[in-house]
Amino acid sequence: MKTFFEAHIWPLKSKLYRMAYLWVKDRDVANDVLQQVFEKAWLQRNDLQKMENPTGWMVRSLKNESLQHFRSTKRLESLGDKEFEEETKEYDDESPKRLRLVFKFLEKLPDKQREVFQLREVEGLSYEEISDYLEVSLDQVKVNLHRARKSLRDYLMQQK
């Protein structure tokens, strides 16, 4: 029989890694941040089990740990577009043109819209979960997602 940690916390690893990478844009840093969050979660495993939304706690911890990384390295912004371009080059030959356009477009979205879009369209979270994770109102989630989708639609129409 699996423990609460194995059943509910550990399966979040892939999703949390993608979020960390979205924020820090560096694989090693994302892994480090994720490891620190899982260490904290392990220490808090009994409290996590009693929480109504342990996944929200994990995402909030990940966000705080990412921000702490930037504070400690005195970098307020992530690494930028060059690294993203290098990593997406390997997919250029096999990816459809439209998918490449979407990835290129996502780089241009404001941070909040990109986060909401990623959490909803890629991770498949509900509006309520996104609201909890990002600590914003449900209306802000809906507005940011609507704006991101509208911008994407307009961008793709211009590319035809």
Side-chain angles (χ1 to χ4, degrees):
M1 183 173 182
K2 289 184 177 182
T3 66
F4 174 82
F5 196 86
E6 292 170 323
H8 298 282
I9 303 301
W10 190 249
L12 299 172
K13 184 178 180 191
S14 296
K15 184 182 290 189
L16 292 173
Y17 172 80
R18 290 189 299 270
M19 287 178 181
Y21 183 74
L22 174 71
W23 294 329
V24 299
K25 296 192 177 20
D26 182 295
R27 289 178 186 205
D28 293 332
V29 173
N31 279 319
D32 291 346
V33 167
L34 188 61
Q35 182 176 350
Q36 291 169 348
V37 169
F38 270 93
E39 286 175 12
K40 288 179 181 180
W42 179 253
L43 296 173
Q44 298 291 324
R45 64 187 177 274
N46 294 330
D47 293 334
L48 276 173
Q49 193 168 358
K50 297 172 189 171
M51 288 182 191
E52 185 177 318
N53 186 5
T55 306
W57 185 90
M58 293 293 292
V59 172
R60 222 178 344 260
S61 296
L62 182 69
K63 185 176 182 181
N64 290 338
E65 204 61 48
S66 298
L67 290 171
Q68 183 59 38
H69 164 74
F70 289 125
R71 286 185 197 113
S72 67
T73 59
K74 296 187 184 348
R75 288 175 36 203
L76 297 178
E77 293 187 20
S78 56
L79 295 176
D81 298 335
K82 184 176 181 181
E83 184 173 308
F84 179 81
E85 289 172 13
E86 290 172 4
E87 290 190 11
T88 55
K89 281 180 186 174
E90 64 188 80
Y91 302 107
D92 283 348
D93 294 334
E94 57 195 58
S95 297
K97 180 181 177 186
R98 213 143 168 81
L99 185 58
R100 288 194 308 267
L101 287 173
V102 170
F103 282 121
K104 186 176 180 182
F105 166 77
L106 289 176
E107 295 174 28
K108 298 176 184 181
L109 279 177
D111 289 341
K112 194 60 76 177
Q113 288 181 23
R114 184 173 51 244
E115 287 176 346
V116 170
F117 187 87
Q118 168 87 13
L119 292 172
R120 178 67 182 170
E121 303 300 340
V122 177
E123 303 298 335
L125 301 181
S126 70
Y127 293 149
E128 292 80 11
E129 290 173 319
I130 296 169
S131 174
D132 287 345
Y133 294 168
L134 298 179
E135 298 176 333
V136 297
S137 72
L138 195 57
D139 288 336
Q140 286 179 313
V141 170
K142 291 176 181 179
V143 166
N144 280 301
L145 185 59
H146 173 76
R147 288 178 180 166
R149 286 175 174 165
K150 183 180 182 318
S151 297
L152 176 60
R153 183 175 48 247
D154 293 346
Y155 177 77
L156 291 174
M157 294 300 281
Q158 290 175 353
Q159 301 302 314
K160 284 188 174 182

